[in-house]
Amino acid sequence: MIEVKNISKVYKIAKKGKHGIFSREYEHRRAVDDISFSINEGEIVGFIGPNGAGKSTTIKMLSGILHPDIGSICVNGYIPYKQRKKYVANIGVVFGQKSQLNWDLPLIESFELIRYIYKIPKKKYEKNLAKFIDLLDMREFINQPVRQLSLGQKMRGDIVAALLHSPKIVFFDEPTIGLDVVAKEKIREFIKYLNRTENITMIFTTHDMQDIEKVCDRLIIIDKGHKIYDGTVSEIKRKYAARKIIEAEMADDSAADLAKFGNNVKITDISEHGKICKRFEFDSERCPVNEVMGSIFSQYDVNDISIKEPEIDGIIRDIYEGELQL
């Protein structure tokens, strides 16, 4: 469905020249550097990276807004930046921070406007709309002006707006940003259902790793314009399964450093609500769990203790910060 081969994008950035404000010099910044990947029909792929990694530039090239300086892109048989008009009729885009709904119109009239723009046949429009309204519980607010909707209601409206014309590919950019737990879960379940029943190819860019873990099967990570990981979400969790976290509540604030393990055990104070708590993070292949536990009990007066597997959020954060190498 999507074939990306060796794409690069360089931005020309103006800066003040040596002769003051009336002169200009330029520097060239490579936002995307020789990235390649392919995505099959029906896949849900998380496309993530730290700020400035080049993910937004890549998504803009995939959606046809920008063209690559080097390399090629083919999406569903189209070259996005050359066949843009035909291409956009087959994609949907959801921006969590920028709505495509008309602020002053009732939600249903925004949908009617989108039907006109995309020239959606009436039967197809009515069938899709009825299904989405039912799945996303939108009947109570479908006739309200968009400006009166809550953030979660607007986001549901934006998702429907992106799907009314039955696109084969949908790009999601922070689709759950700012939403409460219930609203996030409803949207995630809807997206998974739609992918399962309609076989829509979906690409997620998000900083919410729960979106990735609960919705995506595959993960592409880029950093400084380079692709650094392309594989399943379960694979990256399995790769770092040796990383363990022990959290303990102490009876007092006595100092200890588990010196026998050197720098292999990272100790963090996580005390709150009057409780004295510490977190111990380590690689169980270097520091066996039973030995670390034994040292904790021998050096601290422990009230309570638990062992945790690292969550995807922590793994990705450590990758971004260079503490883990892929």
Side-chain angles (χ1 to χ4, degrees), residues 18-37:
K18 296 178 181 178
H19 303 291
I21 62 172
F22 297 108
S23 65
R24 281 285 182 270
E25 292 183 359
Y26 296 91
E27 63 177 331
H28 292 83
R29 185 173 69 84
R30 191 172 289 271
V32 175
D33 192 1
D34 196 28
I35 287 179
S36 298
F37 58 85

Side-chain angles (χ1 to χ4, degrees), residues 53-295:
K55 60 183 181 298
S56 294
T57 298
T58 304
I59 293 299
K60 286 176 181 177
M61 288 190 281
L62 286 172
S63 58
I65 297 171
L66 296 176
H67 64 84
D69 296 326
I70 301 171
S72 64
I73 298 174
C74 183
V75 183
N76 193 29
Y78 296 99
I79 299 174
Y81 46 93
K82 288 185 177 179
Q83 299 165 284
R84 182 157 170 73
K85 189 172 181 179
K86 290 182 179 179
Y87 173 64
V88 296
N90 291 280
I91 68 170
V93 181
V94 179
F95 291 106
Q97 300 186 64
K98 187 175 181 181
S99 177
Q100 60 181 308
L101 303 172
N102 189 298
W103 194 248
D104 296 308
L105 292 179
L107 185 57
I108 186 65
E109 291 185 22
S110 279
F111 293 156
E112 290 284 353
L113 184 60
I114 288 167
R115 175 197 166 195
Y116 174 79
I117 292 170
Y118 279 95
K119 298 176 180 168
I120 306 170
K122 184 178 180 181
K123 285 187 177 179
K124 179 179 179 181
Y125 167 79
E126 290 177 346
K127 179 183 176 182
N128 284 345
L129 183 62
K131 177 172 64 176
F132 298 151
I133 287 175
D134 184 53
L135 289 171
L136 289 170
D137 297 326
M138 297 172 63
R139 295 191 185 282
E140 290 185 6
F141 57 87
I142 192 71
N143 293 304
Q144 286 181 230
V146 172
R147 65 168 63 251
Q148 294 178 5
L149 303 181
S150 69
L151 184 60
Q153 290 170 338
K154 282 199 287 282
M155 181 49 62
R156 279 182 270 174
D158 268 308
I159 290 173
V160 171
L163 295 168
L164 282 170
H165 60 294
S166 300
K168 295 183 178 180
I169 301 165
V170 181
F171 297 96
F172 290 97
D173 181 27
E174 301 281 4
T176 65
I177 189 169
L179 303 186
D180 61 48
V181 174
V182 175
K184 284 185 177 185
E185 197 58 34
K186 183 178 289 291
I187 286 173
R188 288 166 182 157
E189 287 300 322
F190 172 74
I191 288 169
K192 287 192 291 184
Y193 171 82
L194 204 65
N195 171 261
R196 187 170 63 250
T197 57
E198 305 290 339
N199 204 35
I200 299 173
T201 306
M202 301 177 176
I203 299 178
F204 269 78
T205 57
T206 179
H207 290 292
D208 188 335
M209 290 303 106
Q210 293 302 308
D211 284 349
I212 299 296
E213 187 169 22
K214 293 188 176 184
V215 175
C216 302
D217 299 316
R218 179 177 163 199
L219 184 61
I220 296 175
I221 305 176
I222 68 170
D223 190 21
K224 298 176 182 176
H226 297 277
K227 184 178 75 173
I228 61 173
Y229 179 81
D230 185 351
T232 64
V233 176
S234 57
E235 181 184 344
I236 201 168
K237 291 182 72 176
R238 186 169 57 250
K239 183 175 182 180
Y240 296 106
R243 294 177 66 243
K244 302 295 182 185
I245 299 171
I246 295 177
E247 291 186 357
E249 180 188 335
M250 312 303 183
D252 55 56
D253 199 16
S254 57
D257 57 9
L258 306 190
K260 67 175 285 187
F261 299 107
N263 295 324
N264 291 322
V265 176
K266 179 182 176 183
I267 305 175
T268 308
D269 189 326
I270 56 170
S271 301
E272 59 179 14
H273 306 306
K275 294 183 178 181
I276 301 168
C277 302
K278 294 187 184 295
R279 177 185 290 127
F280 305 85
E281 299 179 58
F282 57 96
D283 185 332
S284 61
E285 293 181 352
R286 293 183 179 181
C287 310
V289 175
N290 62 330
E291 291 186 17
V292 176
M293 291 277 283
S295 292

